[in-house]
Amino acid sequence: MYQYMKQTKPILCSLLLLLAGSLCPTRLVAQEPVVGRPLVSGAALPATLNDGLAQLSCDFVITPSLIGSVNISSEEFPDLFVNCSSNKNNKPVRKPFIGCYYFKFKELGPDNNPIYYPAEKVEAPWSPENGNVKLYRIGDMLYAFSITSKKLHIAYWDETLRSFGKEWMYEGDVNVPMTVVDFDLVPQGSSATVVLMCRNKRSREPKIKSPAQAEYDSAGIYRGDIAEGQVLYTKLNLVEFTFSRFIALTPPKAILTPRAITAVQSPDGALSGCVIGNKNGALKYIPFTNPSAMDYIRNESGEVITNHCLIADVLSLKAGASADFFTSGEGGMTYYQFSGKFTPSGAPIYKEPKMVLHVQNDIHAGSLVSQSVADWDGDGVVDIVAGNSAGHIMFFKNYGTNSLPAFGLGEYIKAGGRILAERAGYYESQGPEESAWGYMGPTVFDWDGNGTQDIVYSYNDVIYKVVRNVGTPQEPLLTEPETIMIDGVELAGVWRCRPGLVRVGGKVMMLIADENEALHLYEKSVGNNVIDRGLVRLKDGKIITGHSTNFGERHYGMNGRKKLELADWDGDGDVDLLIGCARQGSFPSPELGLPGSRGRGLQAIWLENVGSNEQMVFDYPRQFTFRGVPYYVGGHETTVTTCPFGDTTGGVNLLVGVECGRFVFFEREDLKDVSLWY
């Protein structure tokens, strides 16, 4: 297993880059002048151009589950149904999407991107967390099916009430011999062909409690288990709702980390099988007539396709026979169109995937966004550059002004001629099942002092990198990422962090969280080398750490996740420190710190610089509240940056990047009630 993962990592990474390159939307050409909308404090930044066109997303939801593609409003293209659940720690000002939602098809855009109207809430009997629901048209009726290892449930769509009802119309027993991860069925008269993506082994974290032990042994092999998937095949009687014998369509290890399955069929019948996907974005095709010919799906250039987002769902277009399909997951929703061609081995070839879009939406950059606010294209107006959990960095051009911004579609940033992307690979803090997550934390900053904007970042790994801009301020041209070094080795800290950078007296100072979770200052020397300038301290001389409140227990995944911003928040001329925290992060110590030990709240804190820019010394942390009330923005991690958006007569405002992929704007007047806990 280790050798397989080790050998395929560079291949998967390169394929991810190639695919993501094809997903870059054409930059929207704005008519001058562009007037943005007034911003609402406590709300996400809206998309403004082209009727608010943005990636399809569901409000404050990390990953909406795609459960249906059905022609209701149009015969041209299917409408979509999605299931939405919200993090229990996520309580924004507006009510988040929870439950089942319907997206009506609007049109296909100039680049063949499907575009949808805003969502409509519909009543359904299943829970928001139930991902094992699929919708099918059988005759003139639209049905919802749910198949688990133990139960079969069925409901039907009432078009007049726009509802699936409050209760299932049918419930029966099922005895699938394995755990059902996902399923799909193809109605054929009074019966249906059913394919089930099953898990024959549950992933398991190593049972290790002592910090002296590691998740990987001395040979570098993971001590836990990695889930393996197998596809089962059966028939379902649609009159009596009974299943035939379950038959294995694939070997037990058809795909690692199994997640999704859908049946596809070309109109001429030449393509008939199923597409399966896993958590890492792999897509394979299994022909029904010859399952042993299972192979990866290719694009028209002949490369294997790796989905640009981390897959949660794969769903074909259910309007008649169709080999086209959608994917959804962390990073957005994508449409794949079958080219009608095959590889010599019989694997289907698909056209360049297209982002699925949504009008009257907020700008959306994938999940767990970590933003930097800067004038990226040198036009004198501040833009947004943001990393996400899928390992990409996206650029959102501001076509408006700083006070009234107008944002278009996000574009994937390239470095060295390829889409900039990072993936953890086999060695991941939470185990190899999380190998596809990148957790990009970029800071836009003129690293080499040549007048162009570079990007310094950390990601799923613990090291720091820089991509240099060798172009111009108006037309950035980035080199391949280069590692930042100290004393001949990589500068390392803790995972999933964003560095704080500032220029003081001509010197570049870089603040990170070191391997002990302490805030540590470094000075840039020649090239990409830095010099250690010591730990940053509070006014009483104590160091500042950001340990999780469960410090002392073994749980590496909850450490790190710190997003640092060096900026003058209070307008007194010196550089303060703002920190976006994880839900259990606690500054300056795990026993008595913010926000972890005092409740989760906004998860954005600031430390006033009571020293000088040359010798930073900070006051104890203070936690922001929004109009006197804690503002919950999720449970994973948060990025906080100052911004010139909106009215800045009283000083800069605040922008918070949250786990659902949105950027929440706060006017500083609403953040005056600052809780000082000490």
Side-chain angles (χ1 to χ4, degrees):
M1 181 66 69
Y2 162 68
Q3 290 298 326
Y4 171 80
M5 297 291 286
K6 184 177 180 181
Q7 291 167 7
T8 56
K9 175 188 173 183
I11 299 172
L12 289 174
C13 288
S14 63
L15 293 172
L16 178 71
L17 296 174
L18 288 167
L19 174 68
S22 68
L23 283 166
C24 290
T26 302
R27 180 177 293 187
L28 298 177
V29 178
Q31 300 296 320
E32 298 293 346
V34 173
V35 179
R37 302 187 218 167
L39 301 181
V40 177
S41 184
L45 291 180
T48 307
L49 275 66
N50 290 25
D51 196 22
L53 194 64
Q55 291 191 64
L56 189 144
S57 57
C58 293
D59 207 73
F60 282 71
V61 175
I62 299 178
T63 308
S65 179
L66 181 60
I67 62 173
S69 61
V70 187
N71 289 66
I72 294 178
S73 65
S74 167
E75 292 301 319
E76 178 186 7
F77 207 78
D79 304 311
L80 297 179
F81 286 83
V82 299
N83 219 27
C84 298
S85 61
S86 185
N87 191 300
K88 64 181 179 181
N89 303 305
N90 200 354
K91 299 178 181 178
V93 169
R94 68 187 185 206
K95 187 177 180 180
F97 284 22
I98 299 177
C100 182
Y101 285 82
Y102 163 71
F103 288 87
K104 180 182 176 181
F105 174 69
K106 182 177 186 290
E107 61 186 346
L108 289 174
D111 293 329
N112 211 36
N113 296 73
I115 301 175
Y116 288 86
Y117 287 106
E120 171 191 337
K121 178 73 180 290
V122 300
E123 189 176 62
W126 54 85
S127 72
E129 292 78 20
N130 187 355
N132 274 16
V133 177
K134 294 288 178 67
L135 309 184
Y136 305 95
R137 188 174 292 284
I138 303 175
D140 295 330
M141 296 293 293
L142 175 61
Y143 292 88
F145 282 73
S146 174
I147 301 177
T148 66
S149 303
K150 301 296 182 183
K151 291 289 183 180
L152 165 67
H153 292 95
I154 303 174
Y156 70 91
W157 172 251
D158 187 318
E159 176 62 26
T160 303
L161 299 177
R162 311 288 284 180
S163 168
F164 286 100
K166 295 182 178 180
E167 297 181 357
W168 294 102
M169 71 173 224
Y170 174 84
E171 177 178 333
D173 293 328
V174 181
N175 188 23
V176 183
M178 303 166 67
T179 300
V180 176
V181 176
D182 194 25
F183 75 94
D184 198 12
L185 61 87
V186 181
Q188 299 162 318
S190 61
S191 67
T193 297
V194 182
V195 286
L196 303 104
M197 170 63 76
C198 297
R199 184 181 63 228
N200 57 12
K201 180 170 64 174
R202 180 180 293 276
S203 60
R204 177 178 61 84
E205 293 184 1
K207 295 181 179 180
I208 298 171
K209 298 296 181 182
S210 169
Q213 293 180 291
E215 282 87 350
Y216 299 84
D217 65 20
S218 59
I221 298 174
Y222 184 59
R223 295 178 187 270
D225 290 330
I226 303 174
E228 298 166 350
Q230 182 172 10
V231 177
L232 300 185
Y233 166 91
T234 188
K235 288 281 188 178
L236 172 63
N237 184 308
L238 294 177
V239 177
E240 300 176 353
F241 300 123
T242 55
F243 287 92
S244 301
R245 185 168 61 93
F246 294 98
I247 301 171
L249 192 66
T250 67
K253 299 181 180 181
I255 194 165
L256 300 176
T257 65
R259 185 59 188 88
I261 188 169
T262 193
V264 294
Q265 183 177 5
S266 59
D268 60 3
L271 178 69
S272 181
C274 54
V275 173
I276 61 175
N278 73 352
K279 290 175 64 175
N280 298 328
L283 292 168
K284 291 181 177 179
Y285 171 69
I286 305 170
F288 287 139
T289 55
N290 183 20
S292 62
M294 176 180 65
D295 201 353
Y296 291 102
I297 286 176
R298 317 293 174 88
N299 62 21
E300 291 183 293
S301 298
E303 299 102 355
V304 171
I305 290 178
T306 301
N307 198 59
H308 83 287
C309 66
L310 314 176
I311 288 182
D313 303 286
V314 177
L315 189 64
S316 63
L317 277 62
K318 296 301 182 184
S322 176
D324 299 351
F325 65 90
F326 294 100
T327 64
S328 70
E330 292 190 35
M333 193 176 295
T334 307
Y335 166 55
Y336 288 83
Q337 186 176 13
F338 177 48
S339 68
K341 304 173 185 176
F342 298 86
T343 66
S345 66
I349 295 174
Y350 279 80
K351 297 180 180 180
E352 291 185 353
K354 303 294 181 180
M355 286 183 181
V356 181
L357 305 175
H358 171 193
V359 296
Q360 300 176 36
N361 199 4
D362 302 322
I363 64 172
H364 185 265
S367 64
L368 277 64
V369 291
S370 181
Q371 79 282 354
S372 195
V373 177
D375 180 6
W376 179 248
D377 56 2
D379 62 358
V381 181
V382 170
D383 312 297
I384 295 175
V385 174
N388 60 28
S389 64
H392 301 112
I393 299 179
M394 300 187 75
F395 162 52
F396 291 86
K397 179 175 174 58
N398 182 359
Y399 292 90
T401 64
N402 288 341
S403 58
L404 290 173
F407 294 101
L409 289 173
E411 305 173 33
Y412 289 97
I413 283 181
K414 292 184 178 181
R418 301 183 300 169
I419 294 297
L420 178 57
E422 295 282 5
R423 301 185 109 190
Y426 183 76
Y427 296 103
E428 207 277 349
S429 295
Q430 298 182 144
E433 283 217 6
E434 301 279 331
S435 64
W437 274 253
Y439 300 123
M440 279 288 214
T443 298
V444 175
F445 186 82
D446 185 0
W447 175 254
D448 46 19
N450 65 353
T452 60
Q453 299 279 27
D454 309 304
I455 300 178
V456 181
Y457 68 88
S458 184
Y459 60 109
N460 197 307
D461 206 337
V462 299
I463 64 174
Y464 287 82
K465 295 184 179 182
V466 59
V467 284
R468 297 175 181 272
N469 182 359
V470 295
T472 67
Q474 291 73 32
E475 295 186 7
L477 178 63
L478 301 181
T479 62
E480 290 279 358
E482 303 169 20
T483 304
I484 297 175
M485 307 291 289
I486 181 169
D487 297 339
V489 298
E490 298 93 335
L491 176 66
V494 282
W495 80 321
R496 294 170 66 168
C497 287
R498 175 182 182 267
L501 287 144
V502 66
R503 194 177 300 274
V504 178
K507 298 178 180 179
V508 174
M509 308 304 295
M510 179 177 177
L511 184 67
I512 72 168
D514 67 18
E515 67 276 12
N516 296 313
E517 302 273 349
L519 298 188
H520 209 127
L521 195 65
Y522 295 87
E523 178 187 338
K524 180 183 180 296
S525 181
V526 178
N528 294 330
N529 293 280
V530 295
I531 299 172
D532 190 345
R533 294 306 184 201
L535 297 174
V536 174
R537 297 181 181 272
L538 296 171
K539 61 184 180 181
D540 60 7
K542 294 179 181 177
I543 65 172
I544 306 170
T545 68
H547 287 294
S548 169
T549 52
N550 65 1
F551 180 64
E553 299 179 21
R554 182 179 181 84
H555 198 320
Y556 287 159
M558 283 310 304
N559 293 330
R561 305 175 184 235
K562 298 158 183 59
K563 317 298 184 182
L564 308 180
E565 170 93 341
L566 290 170
D568 182 8
W569 171 250
D570 54 8
D572 62 359
D574 54 33
V575 175
D576 304 311
L577 173 60
L578 294 98
I579 304 176
C581 308
R583 66 174 178 263
Q584 292 179 334
S586 200
F587 292 86
S589 65
E591 301 82 13
L592 185 64
L594 293 175
S597 68
R598 303 282 179 169
R600 291 167 179 148
L602 180 65
Q603 302 180 46
I605 62 177
W606 77 286
L607 291 77
E608 181 184 2
N609 185 357
V610 294
S612 65
N613 288 342
E614 291 73 18
Q615 189 65 44
M616 298 179 199
V617 176
F618 294 102
D619 200 350
Y620 273 81
R622 308 178 192 184
Q623 182 176 355
F624 292 116
T625 59
F626 177 58
R627 297 172 184 168
V629 179
Y631 187 91
Y632 286 37
V633 286
H636 287 84
E637 56 200 44
T638 299
T639 298
V640 54
T641 52
T642 59
C643 72
F645 304 143
D647 182 1
T648 57
T649 54
V652 292
N653 295 312
L654 205 66
L655 196 66
V656 177
V658 299
E659 62 184 21
C660 66
R662 284 165 163 75
F663 307 99
V664 182
F665 169 76
F666 294 97
E667 291 181 348
R668 65 183 302 115
E669 289 297 315
D670 291 327
L671 300 173
K672 277 189 172 180
D673 184 6
V674 177
S675 301
L676 184 62
W677 296 93
Y678 299 92

